């Protein structure tokens, strides 16, 4: 069986192979930190670990290139530990076993760690190479990216001082990322005293299922259904024709996933039960018609349940349904200068109403902080009108794309010269470390790129061999063409 050590470029694959031998699941980074600091010392570059657990290298310019801007090469050292059910593997002790399989490299039953071991291996290769032409160089290899970008968040100003940051953690060769979304969590909440339900009322359990869900950023513009929104639409229609009152409502379970399912219990006059069932049937038809191109079949079922003793007060029930129906959701705006790229969105993720407590949770994203705040305030205003308390937390900055960035200009030109085709320029509608680091080191000119990976974060993670060569060649060309100070 052929080894990854025979693959080109050998200097990158050699270091990637070393990385597979050093355990580095997120949260257990001591071994890889020591390995990386020692490596820097061994090859004679300045090398240290900061308080946040990040490893930093500093390498002087190639003689004659001292007048270039300082480039920071950035990657993350941790990997996502995922394995197949039948695979025996201890991520804190056992090495990853890479397998060359046709045009790809994958691991034997586990994640490969090419996310972001390829970025780290490329940094090691650049740091080691004495013949490479480049200006002053720094490397920032961050800790615990995968579990919450903790290394980037804890980076202290002054740790790195470069002008340009090349993030080596993208997953499609030939794409240059020049922006990402920031985010903020929004929680609307309310406590209420449950009131008795009249005995002669009927009760129905309403279940909405079948949505595809998806990532609340990357897939927010796919036209998919939000189960809580559909539930609100049904309840609003039912409430227009009969005195519907909530007993409970539970939908969605993760802030960064589009909710796939929602379930509510409502009370109403017995005489209205058949009518409300008909409304549910009609809603199901409408929803499936609206979403037939983007969803699998959505079901909306209504079944009689025992009338509960207590429920939500009528006025609060009305307010909750109205607010959930009215609040902005999905894509608010696309980036005016970059086609088909979401700038600002929100995901109404979790609705939880029961036992005297109501809460609605959101994740709002934007590459532009002012638009993120506008979206968040619109949502807050909606829920304040319903008498709810609204709190925001966990805000982090986006990375606003700059189509006139000097490094973007240099890199698109270098790509065309090298490969005879245009690189694709993109913005990702999710958080990247660049957004966080850019907030710590203002004025950084940043780009993210990398070799082609598939299914990262799963045991099917694989890396397309030929793109590693292109990625590294392009990195080398970019360094040679670093703009002047
Ligand atoms: Zn990554």
């Amino acid at each position: 069986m052929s080894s990854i050590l025979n693959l080109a470029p050998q200097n990158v694959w050699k270091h990637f192979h070393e990385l597979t031998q050093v355990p580095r699941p997120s949260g257990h980074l001591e071994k890889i930190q020591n390995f990386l600091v020692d490596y820097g010392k061994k090859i004679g570059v300045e090398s240290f670990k900061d308080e946040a657990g990040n490893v930093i290298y500093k390498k002087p310019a190639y003689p004659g290139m001292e007048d270039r801007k300082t480039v920071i090469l950035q990657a993350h050292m941790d990997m996502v530990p995922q394995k197949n059910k039948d695979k025996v593997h201890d991520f804190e002790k056992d090495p990853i076993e890479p397998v060359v399989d046709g045009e790809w490299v994958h691991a034997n039953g586990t994640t490969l760690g090419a996310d972001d071991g390829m970025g780290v291996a490329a940094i090691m290769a650049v740091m080691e190479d004495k013949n490479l032409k480049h200006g002053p160089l720094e490397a920032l290899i961050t800790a615990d990216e995968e579990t919450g970008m903790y290394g980037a968040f804890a980076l202290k100003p002054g740790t790195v001082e470069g002008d340009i940051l090349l993030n080596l953690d993208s997953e499609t060769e030939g794409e240059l990322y020049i922006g990402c979304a920031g985010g903020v969590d929004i929680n609307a909440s309310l406590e209420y005293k449950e009131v008795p339900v009249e005995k002669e009322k009927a009760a129905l359990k309403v279940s909405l299922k079948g949505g595809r869900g998806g990532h609340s950023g990357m897939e927010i513009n796919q036209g998919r259904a939000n189960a809580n929104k559909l539930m609100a639409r049904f309840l609003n229609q039912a409430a227009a024709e009969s005195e519907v009152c909530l007993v409970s409502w539970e939908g969605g379970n993760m802030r960064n996933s589009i909710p796939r399912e929602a379930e509510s219990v409502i009370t109403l006059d017995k005489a209205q039960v058949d009518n409300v069932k008909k409304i549910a049937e009609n809603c199901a038809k409408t929803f499936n018609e609206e979403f037939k191109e983007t969803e699998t079949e959505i079901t909306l079922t209504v079944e009689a349940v025992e009338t509960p003793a207590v429920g939500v007060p009528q006025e609060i029930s009305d307010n909750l349904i109205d607010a959930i129906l009215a609040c902005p959701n999905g894509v608010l705006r696309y980036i005016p200068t970059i086609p088909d790229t979401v700038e600002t969105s929100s995901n109404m993720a979790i609705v939880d109403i029961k036992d005297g407590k109501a809460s609605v949770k959101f994740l709002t994203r934007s590459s532009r902080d002012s638009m993120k705040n506008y979206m968040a305030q619109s949502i807050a205003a909606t829920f304040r009108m319903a008498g709810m308390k609204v709190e925001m937390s966990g805000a982090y900055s986006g990375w606003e794309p700059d189509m006139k960035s000097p490094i973007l200009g240099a890199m698109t030109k270098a790509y065309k010269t090298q490969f005879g085709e245009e690189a694709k320029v993109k913005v990702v509608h999710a958080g990247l470390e660049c957004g966080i680091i850019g907030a710590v080191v203002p004025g950084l000119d940043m780009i993210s790129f990398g070799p082609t990976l598939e299914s990262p974060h799963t045991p099917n993670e694989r890396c397309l061999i030929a793109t590693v060569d292109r990625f590294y060649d392009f990195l080398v060309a970019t360094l040679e063409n670093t703009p002047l100070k």
Side-chain angles (χ1 to χ4, degrees):
M1 197 170 58
S2 76
S3 154
I4 60 169
L5 290 167
N6 301 325
L7 300 173
Q10 273 187 346
N11 54 341
V12 176
W13 285 101
K14 168 184 82 180
H15 293 305
F16 183 71
H17 182 266
E18 289 164 6
L19 292 169
T20 61
Q21 306 304 301
V22 185
R24 54 192 169 95
S26 306
H28 303 275
L29 299 181
E30 208 185 314
K31 289 192 184 96
I32 186 71
Q33 285 160 335
N34 292 339
F35 169 82
L36 290 170
V37 171
D38 290 348
Y39 175 75
K41 288 185 178 143
K42 193 180 89 188
I43 58 169
V45 301
E46 187 184 340
S47 168
F48 64 95
K49 184 176 84 169
D50 72 1
E51 285 167 48
N54 305 310
V55 171
I56 289 100
Y57 297 146
K58 301 197 179 193
K59 183 185 181 191
Y62 185 84
M65 291 186 70
E66 295 83 358
D67 55 352
R68 306 303 177 101
K69 288 186 172 176
T70 300
V71 172
I72 307 167
L73 301 175
Q74 193 253 314
H76 63 85
M77 68 179 80
D78 60 316
M79 66 175 276
V80 173
Q82 289 284 320
K83 62 182 188 71
N84 288 328
K85 274 208 183 74
D86 57 354
K87 173 78 183 171
V88 180
H89 187 92
D90 182 346
F91 280 97
E92 290 177 43
K93 292 200 189 97
D94 299 337
I96 304 292
E97 303 156 45
V99 179
V100 180
D101 184 0
E103 298 187 324
W104 298 83
V105 171
H106 60 80
N108 180 14
T110 68
T111 34
L112 175 64
D115 171 14
D116 188 20
M118 273 299 160
V120 179
I123 290 174
M124 292 168 74
V126 167
M127 289 291 152
E128 178 184 48
D129 192 335
K130 299 219 160 32
N131 300 316
L132 213 70
K133 295 196 174 61
H134 56 74
L137 273 186
E138 299 181 324
L140 171 60
I141 306 175
T142 48
D144 289 332
E145 187 266 353
E146 299 288 4
T147 43
M149 302 194 275
Y150 295 111
F153 273 110
L155 180 70
K156 290 254 166 68
T159 313
V160 286
E161 292 159 321
D163 314 291
I164 292 166
L165 183 135
L166 303 179
N167 169 286
L168 311 177
D169 188 27
S170 283
E171 285 151 15
T172 308
E173 193 279 324
E175 295 182 349
L176 302 178
Y177 284 84
I178 61 161
C180 76
V184 61
D185 295 345
I186 306 169
N187 296 317
S189 63
L190 172 75
E191 290 193 19
Y192 56 87
K193 201 165 158 21
E194 289 187 298
V195 294
V197 174
E198 291 164 39
K199 284 208 176 57
E200 57 275 17
K201 291 274 184 184
L204 297 174
K205 183 165 94 177
V206 185
S207 307
L208 191 135
K209 289 196 173 122
R212 290 172 69 192
H215 186 275
S216 73
M218 313 284 271
E219 284 159 330
I220 199 74
N221 63 340
Q222 304 287 305
R224 295 187 189 169
N226 177 307
N228 285 320
K229 274 286 177 187
L230 298 191
M231 180 63 78
R233 288 172 64 183
F234 161 72
L235 292 172
N236 171 260
Q237 286 187 34
E241 299 199 18
S242 93
E243 207 167 74
V244 163
C245 192
L246 284 170
V247 175
S248 65
W249 180 344
E250 286 171 272
N253 52 22
M254 272 174 26
R255 213 183 270 277
N256 64 356
S257 295
I258 298 168
R260 291 180 294 110
E261 297 183 352
E263 189 177 287
S264 68
V265 175
I266 54 174
T267 59
L268 68 168
D269 287 341
K270 280 192 178 125
Q272 289 292 336
V273 168
D274 287 342
N275 187 25
V276 166
K277 282 186 175 168
K278 187 123 279 134
I279 294 170
E281 273 170 37
N282 288 336
C283 278
K285 261 189 220 136
T286 306
F287 296 158
N288 280 302
E289 186 59 30
E290 286 174 1
F291 291 100
K292 67 174 179 242
E293 283 87 11
T294 56
E295 281 291 354
T296 43
E297 200 198 340
I298 295 165
T299 60
L300 179 60
T301 55
V302 175
E303 60 176 306
V305 291
E306 203 181 312
T307 305
V310 289
V312 180
Q314 186 69 54
E315 192 191 342
I316 291 175
S317 170
D318 293 344
N319 283 344
L320 286 168
I321 295 170
D322 279 351
I324 293 167
L325 182 71
C327 79
N329 186 65
V331 177
L332 179 68
R333 191 166 94 138
Y334 283 82
I335 297 178
T337 50
I338 306 173
D340 303 324
T341 304
V342 179
E343 178 203 77
T344 308
S345 76
S346 189
N347 180 43
M348 183 170 65
I350 304 166
V351 173
D352 187 10
I353 302 170
K354 63 173 186 295
D355 303 333
K357 282 185 183 155
S359 83
V360 189
K361 296 192 166 106
F362 304 81
L363 175 49
T364 292
R365 302 177 191 264
S366 181
S367 50
R368 189 179 283 266
D369 287 348
S370 63
M371 286 297 288
K372 180 184 76 187
N373 294 338
Y374 165 49
M375 183 69 153
Q377 290 305 333
S378 307
I379 292 165
T382 313
F383 284 87
R384 278 199 303 267
M385 281 195 285
M388 296 179 82
K389 184 170 90 181
V390 182
E391 290 166 310
M392 315 233 178
S393 59
Y396 59 93
S397 290
W399 165 25
E400 215 177 297
D402 174 11
M403 292 300 284
K404 296 196 183 84
S405 128
I407 190 63
L408 175 63
M411 287 180 79
T412 45
K413 204 168 138 209
Y415 196 89
K416 183 85 196 275
T417 310
Q418 197 163 7
F419 302 118
E421 52 189 300
E422 304 282 349
K424 294 188 186 79
V425 177
K426 296 201 165 187
V427 173
V428 61
H429 195 56
L432 291 180
E433 287 179 299
C434 296
I436 316 304
I437 297 165
V440 179
V441 190
L444 267 185
D445 193 4
M446 302 186 284
I447 297 263
S448 174
F449 65 111
T452 298
L453 308 184
E454 270 186 9
S455 310
H457 305 187
T458 78
N460 298 323
E461 177 184 0
R462 56 183 196 159
C463 175
L464 188 56
I465 295 163
T467 64
V468 177
D469 208 11
R470 285 170 70 102
F471 158 66
Y472 191 70
D473 278 355
F474 183 49
L475 173 60
V476 167
T478 301
L479 294 175
E480 280 175 4
N481 291 299
T482 305
L484 291 164
K485 269 179 194 151

